[in-house]
Amino acid sequence: MAGDPGRLWAAGEAYEPYVGRWSRAVAAEFLPWLAVAEGQRWLDVGCGTGALTQCILASRAPEAVLGVDPSEGFLGHARQRVADRRATFEAGDAQALPVADGSFDAAVAGLVLNFVPDQARAVAEMRRAARPGGQVAAYVWDYADGMQMMRRFWDAAIALDPDGAGGKDEALRFALCRPEPLRGLFEAAGLRQVAVRAIEVPTVFADFADYWTPFLAGGAPAPAYAMALPEDRRAALRDRLRATLPTGQDGRIALSARAWAVRGTA
């Protein structure tokens, strides 16, 4: 996937402080919305570090969860963190899932569909994996406006480097991450009763370092851009962000993150 998360993040330790922690907050709102009964079989497509799998295990009382991801770095992190015997993790591509037809009650994908080259094929594969009447669902960040952590970063970067930063902004690269494209993608896959909703969660950073440090790990588009800058220009970006972020008297930076969630019935 290109950005394939397997290439974007060689190890889960880099992903977790960047967006893994916020993905869990979105999952806590996303999973009840699906109304999947207890004791069901779940497929977590593009499971990454296992954030969504952990939330399924903790809140939905599943029979089993299979996480599939192309990145051995992510899978190793997930296997280390998720000790529950109901969970297994397997290498695989969202565009060719290594599962039998109709073998899951729910097939879900958290923060991954926009990274898949052939998104229609990925949703078709999720539909194939779900039993008739099963749920197929996903969520992605609202890069254009609602994911403030990244929006603030790119606004500052573009102000300093309009030619170099502008084309890398996820809001421009990921046209899928809006309600109507998501709805259209799921309806085109033949899913029924397709619905889309916004999920907004607080993203409160303890201090500026808590916000800035994850951008120094490389990998995803914003951190990769930051680390490709010469030191003086990276320092200028850091200083602009420090001056423009809404920082409280206690040093905390209170932002919010919006994701768009979509669901349909197989």
Side-chain angles (χ1 to χ4, degrees), residues 22-100:
W22 312 125
S23 178
R24 285 178 170 79
V26 174
E29 299 285 335
F30 170 73
L31 293 173
W33 182 56
L34 306 184
V36 176
E38 295 183 355
Q40 304 294 288
R41 293 179 55 81
W42 291 72
L43 174 65
D44 182 1
V45 177
C47 64
T49 59
L52 183 51
T53 290
Q54 284 181 309
C55 291
I56 294 167
L57 292 166
S59 67
R60 309 319 295 170
E63 175 188 333
V65 186
L66 172 63
V68 174
D69 200 276
S71 165
E72 288 297 339
F74 273 170
L75 291 171
H77 189 92
R79 291 182 183 118
Q80 186 176 38
R81 289 186 61 124
V82 184
D84 195 307
R85 293 183 179 180
R86 295 172 295 171
T88 55
F89 297 95
E90 185 174 339
D93 187 339
Q95 301 160 119
L97 292 168
V99 300

Side-chain angles (χ1 to χ4, degrees), residues 7-257:
R7 293 195 295 268
L8 290 178
W9 297 98
E13 287 78 5
Y15 179 85
E16 279 296 308
Y18 183 56
V19 294
R21 52 179 165 168
W22 312 125
S23 178
R24 285 178 170 79
V26 174
E29 299 285 335
F30 170 73
L31 293 173
W33 182 56
L34 306 184
V36 176
E38 295 183 355
Q40 304 294 288
R41 293 179 55 81
W42 291 72
L43 174 65
D44 182 1
V45 177
C47 64
T49 59
L52 183 51
T53 290
Q54 284 181 309
C55 291
I56 294 167
L57 292 166
S59 67
R60 309 319 295 170
E63 175 188 333
V65 186
L66 172 63
V68 174
D69 200 276
S71 165
E72 288 297 339
F74 273 170
L75 291 171
H77 189 92
R79 291 182 183 118
Q80 186 176 38
R81 289 186 61 124
V82 184
D84 195 307
R85 293 183 179 180
R86 295 172 295 171
T88 55
F89 297 95
E90 185 174 339
D93 187 339
Q95 301 160 119
L97 292 168
V99 300
D101 294 1
S103 51
F104 294 89
D105 302 290
V108 295
L111 306 181
V112 70
L113 278 184
N114 50 293
F115 289 110
V116 182
D118 191 339
Q119 296 155 357
R121 184 175 174 186
V123 176
E125 278 290 277
M126 292 172 71
R127 182 191 175 203
R128 178 186 67 78
R131 63 167 175 78
Q135 287 285 296
V136 176
Y139 60 90
V140 294
W141 290 129
D142 176 5
Y143 292 105
D145 182 43
M147 210 314 177
Q148 293 182 1
M149 165 190 163
M150 296 181 194
R151 186 70 268 136
R152 294 271 185 165
F153 175 92
W154 286 118
D155 286 350
I158 291 167
L160 295 171
D161 180 22
D163 294 331
K168 297 179 173 63
D169 184 348
E170 287 107 326
L172 301 176
R173 296 177 57 217
F174 298 140
L176 174 69
C177 298
R178 297 191 300 272
E180 288 313 309
L182 284 170
R183 183 186 300 277
L185 181 68
F186 269 52
E187 289 177 343
L191 293 162
R192 297 178 291 110
Q193 300 171 317
V194 174
V196 179
R197 63 162 289 193
I199 299 175
E200 189 158 336
V201 298
T203 56
V204 180
F205 298 88
D207 51 28
F208 182 74
D210 190 30
Y211 173 89
W212 175 246
T213 302
F215 288 103
L216 304 181
Y225 170 80
M227 292 311 294
L229 292 172
E231 178 57 37
D232 60 334
R233 292 174 58 195
R234 188 162 57 248
L237 175 58
R238 178 197 64 210
D239 293 345
R240 185 178 183 91
L241 282 164
R242 193 195 300 271
T244 56
L245 286 166
T247 305
Q249 291 186 345
D250 60 358
R252 296 199 307 164
I253 299 168
L255 302 176
S256 63

